[in-house]
Amino acid sequence: MEEVMLSALQHFVFCPRQCALIHVEQVWAENEFTARGQQHHDRAHGGGTEERGGVRTLRALPLVSRQHGLAGVGDVVELLPDGSPRPVEYKSGRARPRLADEVQLCAQALCLEEMFGVSIPEGFIYHAASHKRRVVAFTPALRQAVLDARDGVRDLLRRQTLPPPAADDRCLHCSLLESCEPFAAREFPRGFDPFSTTLEDP
């Protein structure tokens, strides 16, 4: 079976409908958040390799796991002095736990474990807005969340249908808001006014 893209896992965990719009309907649009995120990814991917303090940094490394059916590109992979890899994902927003980001990072680790033949206990998410690097432990629960998301993406691709919209705070940060029209077919959630809510970095 064809490998699921690592980016699709992040989209699915954030919002299954967003994932289907992008990967089934081939819909994409930019907003300030996606544009800012792309800038940070471009910086992370540029510059090839470097070595500092015994740690070698690989950028834009192609990743694949035949065992788990995953493929994509890692923003940054750091090779420790003993040669073991650690994935580093760059995000434009502030430092805050988000399962979608952690699933994407852990999926990179599953690929690296197969490619390098090692066990990887943790990785890092660098939050540009906070200038903070957050450690993410690859627990059994997080690893299972990766596989569950992979199966969810596969099911979306097989069904070729759009899930219902989330119609909640997530929609305010989504570049596909106009294409999705999450509030067109349902009432607003109690106490939720999308036109009076202040946008913040996701």
Side-chain angles (χ1 to χ4, degrees):
M1 186 176 291
E2 187 175 353
E3 287 85 9
V4 171
M5 298 303 297
L6 300 178
S7 59
L9 300 178
Q10 197 271 349
H11 296 145
F12 180 83
V13 176
F14 177 73
C15 173
R17 184 175 176 88
Q18 183 199 66
C19 182
L21 283 168
I22 296 172
H23 299 280
V24 175
E25 301 289 334
Q26 305 297 307
V27 174
W28 180 251
E30 291 280 6
N31 65 8
E32 62 177 298
F33 302 125
T34 59
R36 194 183 310 156
Q38 187 59 49
Q39 289 177 349
H40 288 294
H41 278 85
D42 290 344
R43 293 191 193 109
H45 288 175
T49 65
E50 63 182 68
E51 186 167 346
R52 182 179 301 175
V55 176
R56 186 182 180 198
T57 300
L58 310 177
R59 304 182 188 277
L61 180 68
L63 304 174
V64 65
S65 169
R66 305 298 182 193
Q67 176 186 353
H68 299 298
L70 303 170
V73 177
D75 282 350
V76 169
V77 175
E78 295 180 346
L79 299 182
L80 304 184
D82 64 1
S84 62
R86 296 291 186 273
V88 183
E89 180 69 16
Y90 279 63
K91 297 298 179 183
S92 62
R94 293 190 295 271
R96 66 179 70 172
R98 288 184 60 192
L99 181 60
D101 297 340
E102 294 177 2
V103 162
Q104 183 181 21
L105 183 71
C106 186
Q108 295 176 25
L110 294 183
C111 294
L112 289 167
E113 287 180 336
E114 186 172 321
M115 293 167 62
F116 284 78
V118 297
S119 177
I120 302 175
E122 64 186 19
F124 308 95
I125 297 178
Y126 177 76
H127 298 270
S130 304
H131 302 288
K132 291 183 179 179
R133 191 182 209 189
R134 185 165 58 88
V135 179
V136 176
F138 299 137
T139 64
L142 184 55
R143 290 169 181 267
Q144 185 59 50
V146 172
L147 303 182
D148 291 344
R150 175 205 61 190
D151 294 343
V153 173
R154 284 177 173 170
D155 187 57
L156 282 182
L157 296 177
R158 178 177 61 83
R159 292 176 179 270
Q160 295 286 298
T161 57
L162 289 177
D168 59 22
D169 285 359
R170 285 171 289 178
C171 304
L172 302 177
H173 305 294
C174 183
S175 66
L176 304 184
L177 177 63
E178 292 187 7
S179 299
C180 177
E181 296 185 327
F183 305 108
R186 63 171 62 184
E187 296 180 358
F188 292 117
R190 180 177 298 176
F192 176 70
D193 180 359
F195 303 105
S196 65
T197 303
T198 302
L199 287 179
E200 296 181 354
D201 285 325

